[in-house]
Amino acid sequence: MTDEPTDKPNSEQDQAMQDDTPPDGPKENIVHFNPWRDFNDAAPQIDVFGDEPDPEQIAQFMQVVFGYCDGLIPVRSFIDKGQGIDGRPHNIWLEADQAAPEKMATFATWASREGAAVYVIPGTVAAPGQAKAAEILQMQTVVVDLDTGDIAAMRAHLERHLGAPTMVVESGGVTTEGQRKAHVWWALTEPAEGDDIRRVCRLRGDIAAKVGGDMHFRSAHQPIRVAGSVYYKNSLKTQVRIVELQHDRERDLAEFIEAVTDMPPAPGISLQPEFTHPDKPAMDDVLVTPVREGAQDDWSRFEGASAAIGHFIRMVHEGRMTKDEGWEGICGYNAAMLRPQWPVDRLKRESERLWERHVEKYGPPLIRLDSGAPGPQEMPAFTLGALLDDQSPMPEDIIAPRVLTPGGLLVLGGAPKVGKSDLLISWLVHMAAGVPFLGFTPPRPLRIFYLQAEIQYHYLRERLKQIALPPEVLVAARDTFVATPKLKMLLDNEGSVRVARAVQKAFPDAPPDILCVDPIRNLFDGGPDGGGENDNTAMMFFLKERVEVLRDHIDPDCGVILIHHTKKLSKQQVKDDPFLALSGASALRGFYTSGLILHRPDEDCSQRKLEIELRNGPALPPKVIDKVGGQWVEINPMNERLVRQDVGAKHDAERARKHDVILAILLDEASEGRLYTSTQLGEAFENQHGLGSQFTIRERLGVLATKGFVKFRRDLSEQGFAATRSHFGYLCVEGMRFGQDPIIDPATGEVLGEGISVQPSHYKCPHSGRAREVENPAVWIYPEGGDG
């Protein structure tokens, strides 16, 4: 507690209040102040510019805290720490009547002049001199003291789950984060008496435990500052101010207890509080002692459930129980000892939270990573009728169409250097941006954790920068795509815990949609027998006890992508059954929900084929893909040969070679001062440079003219060539120059180039095949669809 002195325990404070009272009790509740009496060894130093007590706020405070109560109010004043002066505490008892606010204001004014703080116990007693917890007769409020951490967040959490308070008081102190400390009050509809006082105190302890408040208020006799009085501490003088007040906000005690019981802890707060009584009970007693709602017993249902869950969590964490045994113990305690029981979903939620806190505090469990915490595992079974009658909508695909479904496992295989990583990164970044890729569509921007163990940090960032991705995709995926550098670990028990923590840190607000492991080989853990990838037992252990357990710990609906290598098979074997190429045990193929194989049918061709196998959807045809302009694109399969593909590819390459040779010959011959018509070029270069017969050369020239690579010049009289009878004219290609004589600018003498530029006058219409005049000879234009 920060707003009360901690130099004495509460029991000593109670005794001090008693010792300062005459044996026969005071005749009046207000101390008679004697100007000649000095309560301190030295005269106090008064800050004339500081705040003074506010009688109006004092009256408001007294109404909220004591307005319905009968009896005497224990009041105490003492010198706050940090002022450099000493003084005795002074105790008085005020009658809880209409004159109490005025008397409290008088006492607060005197205390302020003495540099003393004013406290009350927020309850009434029967006689002067009484102030012990057992002597409190009535209490009409529930209060929590927020004195550390994020005060604003704590108040927001309380208001969200418990409703707006009756009064909020800024106590005068300031946290290390610079926020003002606060007392939050809820007034009850009637004063609590007898056993209800114990319930109020346990309630104050439960609220403090769930938001990180001061746990001293579990005790009924805990004093608290009076609003409207003056705060002195560490050379600071300021007023204890009411900052929020609504007299009509009152709570029924039983309903308020239920609201506090249902309130979850604030973020970052442990669910395992201290018990509200002085001696914490033995765990054996907790596990066999029934607990009723409404704090009717020695501890609340919240305390009992938290203690029991914590016990079984420790047993599971230390390897003395399996996960199922731990959950069975938690459910057994809930059924036998909590009256009434907690709902199973709440029990599971708090079990998971306590497990996370325990692992964070004590490290990885001594056994394999389970599904996050003890939890229910029931075997589902459905009748045919139930399945047929279920008309609920299908779960949304993580990646459509059915390529990756909720909780599904996708395996992408490929030979080394085939482009798996390049394709995978492009794919994942598009999914993180919510943009379709090669026909694979995400429903929204996906949260992706890329666990890769091949590329070191600097080379990973270099590769990401080199991959040609649209700028808008990169912007959209900046925060939703998270990748690790090369990891030197196995996905064993310790590695699974490390990964789970890294994922939670990367996505603290919501779990990822996709967990990608690249590659299996570098992270493979075959279990206690140490089997390798070719061992079916070891592969099943890795998939079920490592991959699935990690996925269930992160989020059961999370999709998993595993990257794997393929074996060396002949192209015919890959063509016949591409998924037999996956390295390792055959168990992998029977386990995944989707399989993709990336391979290159022709090593001399840049195109790849992506084979697709689905368990949860209709078959998808293979995709032919290639990189064009640095980006992966899908090639229309209608344009691909179905038969004699190797022979056809060779013919394509030969035609491309003749294309280049013919254009080079025309450029070279023109520079030597020789020009040709189509017929003359065929006759002149028959069987030269591998061009074949004159008819073959003329056919290739016709194709090149239609595609716009070759055009024509009819009039070359300036160069000394006679007019030709050819329908088209002399052959002309882009950049052609006639002769090698230097061309000199007559004005400047600058050498502009060698030879005279030969520009076309006609071209071959790609539709009619007839000669058409060129509109602008200086601009070489290719027909639509041509390659410039």
Side-chain angles (χ1 to χ4, degrees), residues 345-498:
D345 58 343
R346 179 179 181 186
L347 202 66
K348 183 175 185 294
R349 182 174 65 249
E350 300 202 2
S351 298
E352 291 172 344
R353 289 178 179 174
L354 277 176
W355 174 267
E356 292 174 0
R357 297 283 297 178
H358 196 81
V359 170
E360 181 180 352
K361 185 175 182 180
Y362 296 105
L366 298 181
I367 60 171
R368 69 179 185 269
L369 180 69
D370 263 314
S371 60
Q377 281 193 346
E378 299 178 358
M379 181 179 293
F382 305 95
T383 65
L384 174 62
L387 294 171
L388 295 176
D389 295 341
D390 187 355
Q391 301 299 322
S392 60
M394 294 297 294
E396 190 175 39
D397 293 342
I398 298 176
I399 300 177
R402 300 289 177 89
V403 175
L404 185 61
T405 53
L409 176 67
L410 184 151
V411 175
L412 171 61
K417 306 303 180 183
V418 76
K420 288 192 309 297
S421 295
D422 193 290
L423 174 69
L424 176 68
I425 292 174
S426 297
W427 187 11
L428 293 180
V429 172
H430 277 79
M431 297 300 101
V435 177
F437 178 77
L438 298 180
F440 303 134
T441 306
R444 52 176 173 76
L446 302 178
R447 297 177 297 275
I448 296 175
F449 191 89
Y450 180 35
L451 180 70
Q452 69 91 27
E454 278 193 327
I455 309 172
Q456 295 173 327
Y457 169 78
H458 295 291
Y459 306 101
L460 175 63
R461 66 185 178 91
E462 181 183 52
R463 173 170 288 191
L464 287 170
K465 294 175 182 177
Q466 288 175 346
I467 294 177
L469 292 169
E472 62 275 11
V473 171
L474 292 174
V475 171
R478 286 184 67 90
D479 299 323
T480 52
F481 176 81
V482 177
T484 65
K486 181 178 181 179
L487 299 175
K488 298 179 180 179
M489 55 170 266
L490 294 178
L491 201 59
D492 53 11
N493 176 56
E494 181 182 355
S496 298
V497 174
R498 289 177 60 191

Side-chain angles (χ1 to χ4, degrees), residues 33 46 131 145 185 240 251 258 457 467 483 500 554 561 620 629 661 710 717 729 753:
F33 306 112
I46 303 300
D145 180 5
W185 298 82
V240 182
R251 302 299 296 269
E258 286 303 315
Y457 169 78
I467 294 177
I554 295 171
I561 299 177
L620 295 179
V661 169
V710 172
S717 56

Side-chain angles (χ1 to χ4, degrees), residues 34-144:
N34 187 336
W36 298 101
R37 180 180 179 186
D38 186 2
F39 293 108
N40 304 306
D41 295 334
Q45 299 297 317
I46 303 300
D47 180 6
V48 297
F49 299 104
D51 292 323
E52 297 298 328
D54 184 345
E56 182 179 353
Q57 290 196 56
I58 292 174
Q60 294 170 339
F61 175 84
M62 298 293 285
Q63 177 62 32
V64 171
V65 182
F66 303 104
Y68 298 152
C69 292
D70 297 321
L72 299 177
I73 303 169
V75 185
R76 190 180 191 214
S77 73
F78 47 80
I79 304 299
D80 269 331
K81 291 182 177 181
Q83 300 184 74
I85 57 176
D86 297 320
R88 294 193 317 159
H90 297 278
N91 305 323
I92 64 172
W93 280 257
L94 300 178
E95 188 74 35
D97 56 16
Q98 293 182 350
E102 182 180 356
K103 295 176 181 179
M104 179 64 78
T106 302
F107 185 74
T109 300
W110 168 81
S112 174
R113 292 171 183 170
E114 296 295 319
V118 181
Y119 285 77
V120 295
I121 292 174
T124 55
V125 296
Q130 294 182 348
K132 294 181 180 178
E135 296 169 337
I136 304 299
L137 295 180
Q138 291 185 337
M139 301 182 79
Q140 71 174 51
T141 57
V142 177
V143 62
V144 61

Side-chain angles (χ1 to χ4, degrees), residues 702-708 711 728 763-772 781-786:
V703 172
L704 294 176
T706 298
K707 292 183 176 181
K711 296 184 181 181
F728 289 98
Y763 70 96
K764 184 179 180 180
C765 177
H767 305 292
S768 65
R770 301 183 64 83
R772 295 285 185 264
I781 298 177
Y782 293 89
E784 184 177 354

